Amino acid sequence: MANTKRLCTLVLRLMAVAATLSAAVVMATSHERSNVLGLSFEAKYNHTPAFRYFVIANAIITVYGFLVLFLPSKSQLWRLVVALDMVLTILLTSGISAALAIGSVGRHGNSYAGWLPICGQVPKYCDQVKGALIASFVGLLIYAALLLYAIHNALDPLFLHKT
């Protein structure tokens, strides 16, 4: 039974690492050039601080997830993993929120500020951003499930284990 739990956790952590790594790579490689009314412009992830934050947050979480894979199952550090899972799940949530807000402005514009939507001019860029957001959200769901599982295992909130 313990091996099944360890294998399930390992598979979920691998899926979370894959999701956050793919989100960071897709966002970091997103760019497109366009000409509008004779003006040339380039849409690129590093032109927006929120997208840079998104890439950095996903990269940090990817490295963390990869390192946790090598933690021995009997280690007392799993209690620290519960706290770090919580912190990094919040970090991932904030990165997604920031990128989603800017992505929404890019897709729909903001009539109050006079910002026009750009996704009509750079559809490939917008599709890459959307794909990165989806991959990161999948990673967030997996990390949330892992967090709940880690809380249950490490802290045993219902005191089900006999001492």
Side-chain angles (χ1 to χ4, degrees):
M1 185 71 174
N3 286 338
T4 305
K5 287 181 180 180
R6 176 74 176 151
L7 182 64
C8 183
T9 304
L10 180 71
V11 168
L12 281 175
R13 287 203 181 269
L14 279 172
M15 288 171 41
V17 165
T20 54
L21 176 64
S22 64
V25 168
V26 168
M27 183 67 86
T29 59
S30 63
H31 62 85
E32 186 175 1
R33 282 194 178 276
S34 181
N35 289 319
V36 178
L37 301 173
L39 297 173
S40 177
F41 73 94
E42 181 179 25
K44 200 171 188 181
Y45 93 95
N46 63 356
H47 293 166
T48 308
F51 288 166
R52 276 184 280 178
Y53 176 66
F54 176 84
V55 170
I56 291 168
N58 275 285
I60 289 169
I61 293 162
T62 299
V63 170
Y64 163 77
F66 183 73
L67 292 175
V68 169
L69 291 174
F70 298 106
L71 194 62
S73 60
K74 300 293 183 194
S75 174
Q76 289 297 318
L77 290 175
W78 281 103
R79 292 184 189 268
L80 178 63
V81 168
V82 174
L84 289 175
D85 276 351
M86 174 66 81
V87 168
L88 292 176
T89 301
I90 293 169
L91 176 68
L92 186 58
T93 303
S94 69
I96 292 170
S97 299
L100 191 59
I102 298 302
S104 177
V105 170
R107 180 163 301 281
H108 303 291
N110 186 336
S111 60
Y112 298 111
W115 296 333
L116 299 174
I118 65 161
C119 285
Q121 288 76 35
V122 285
K124 178 184 160 204
Y125 173 75
C126 287
D127 288 343
Q128 283 186 291
V129 169
K130 181 171 51 172
L133 286 168
I134 290 170
S136 191
F137 189 71
V138 167
L140 175 65
L141 292 176
I142 295 170
Y143 269 112
L146 282 167
L147 177 63
L148 292 175
Y149 184 72
I151 288 171
H152 176 72
N153 268 357
L155 302 179
D156 193 20
L158 300 177
F159 303 108
L160 296 175
H161 293 260
K162 303 219 189 283
T163 57

